[in-house]
Amino acid sequence: QVQLVQSGAEVKKPGASVKLSCKASGYTFTNYAMHWVRQAPGQRLEWMGWINAGNGKTKYSQKFQGRVTITRDTSASTAYLELSSLRSEDTSVYYCARGERELVYYYMDVWGEGTTVTVSS
Amino acid sequence: DTVMTQSPDSLAVSLGERATFNCKSSQSVLYSSNNKNYLAWYQQKPGQPPKLLIYWASTRESGVPDRFSGGGSGTDFTLTISSLQAEDVAVYYCQQYYTTPTFGQGTKVEIK
């Protein structure tokens, strides 16, 4: 079955970086895209960015431009999210979610279980 | 960014009764060239990730019970659960994908 398995919880200090992973299985990784969406406690879902898993093309939310990098390793069927200069407001659950390969603006049909990132001194 | 506003924030419905809630976008999400509304609905149960229910405003995702239906066009949309079941207790989010994806604040559905 189609599945996205995300890496484990992280605790980071302000100013640090974090790199999260999302391993896909049950489908051809390079035929789709991967979105990253986060959800702070009690807040709405917030889109961060997207990667075309086929050609590696990316698009980021303006809010995170300069702080976020999304990459993928096709040999491992894994997408990555790296967020730098962490601050307390980045404390959230981070989800990867499958999307349409050629279109950034699309719905997300399969979601990972989420990775909790806590930023605290 | 397109702002998505859902109403009500929470809703308590008796088992077997109809639940209807709304989603309004700050700009139209209807793409005239293909006459499609770029609007999806998700269900999120506590401690779980969102689950896709509806896309293109009214197309049910495979495996979603037919008691879930989506409607509306342009800027105003609804999600209806025709006969609420205990397993439908969740928060429901709308999402537009006409531009940079944005989500509503969610409607929490509980049993009355």
Side-chain angles (χ1 to χ4, degrees):
Chain A
Q1 74 283 20
V2 176
Q3 200 173 4
L4 301 176
V5 177
Q6 297 189 233
S7 48
E10 302 265 9
V11 179
K12 294 291 183 181
K13 293 197 183 304
S17 296
V18 68
K19 188 171 185 177
L20 311 179
S21 68
C22 170
K23 183 171 177 59
S25 61
Y27 70 96
T28 302
F29 179 69
T30 51
N31 284 353
Y32 290 84
M34 200 71 75
H35 296 266
W36 286 90
V37 177
R38 77 178 188 179
Q39 187 173 36
Q43 300 298 310
R44 68 180 70 195
L45 296 153
E46 183 174 34
W47 183 79
M48 300 182 70
W50 165 98
I51 186 165
N52 176 325
N55 62 18
K57 178 180 175 182
T58 56
K59 185 167 178 67
Y60 303 123
S61 166
Q62 275 197 312
K63 175 175 178 176
F64 301 101
Q65 199 84 34
R67 276 210 306 146
V68 67
T69 305
I70 299 175
T71 56
R72 96 288 191 223
D73 178 347
T74 57
S75 65
S77 297
T78 300
Y80 302 91
L81 171 80
E82 185 166 18
L83 187 63
S84 62
S85 302
L86 289 169
R87 35 220 191 217
S88 59
E89 310 89 88
D90 293 317
T91 295
S92 292
V93 177
Y94 289 76
Y95 294 103
C96 58
R98 193 178 74 167
E100 210 287 323
R101 188 177 66 182
E102 303 299 334
L103 298 174
V104 178
Y105 304 148
Y106 217 70
Y107 55 87
M108 302 159 206
D109 66 345
V110 180
W111 293 63
E113 289 299 306
T115 296
T116 299
V117 175
T118 303
V119 182
S120 174
S121 55
Chain B
D1 283 359
T2 301
V3 177
M4 307 300 290
T5 304
Q6 293 183 238
S7 61
D9 289 333
S10 64
L11 183 64
V13 177
S14 300
L15 288 172
E17 295 299 304
R18 177 185 298 262
T20 299
F21 31 99
N22 306 296
C23 173
K24 188 174 184 68
S25 60
S26 62
Q27 63 184 73
S28 176
V29 299
L30 175 62
Y31 192 37
S32 55
S33 67
N34 60 10
N35 202 36
K36 285 187 172 184
N37 286 284
Y38 283 53
L39 191 284
W41 288 95
Y42 300 86
Q43 174 194 65
Q44 187 176 33
K45 297 180 180 180
Q48 295 186 19
K51 173 189 172 184
L52 177 66
L53 296 177
I54 302 278
Y55 54 94
W56 303 128
S58 60
T59 302
R60 254 190 316 275
E61 172 72 333
S62 174
V64 172
D66 60 7
R67 63 179 180 273
F68 290 92
S69 63
S73 185
T75 61
D76 293 280
F77 300 90
T78 59
L79 179 67
T80 299
I81 308 172
S82 60
S83 175
L84 190 77
Q85 305 300 302
E87 61 265 32
D88 301 334
V89 168
V91 179
Y92 293 84
Y93 294 96
C94 59
Q95 176 224 339
Q96 66 78 24
Y97 46 99
Y98 185 87
T99 62
T100 303
T102 51
F103 295 83
Q105 83 277 17
T107 291
K108 185 176 184 179
V109 174
E110 300 171 310
I111 305 295
K112 186 187 290 184

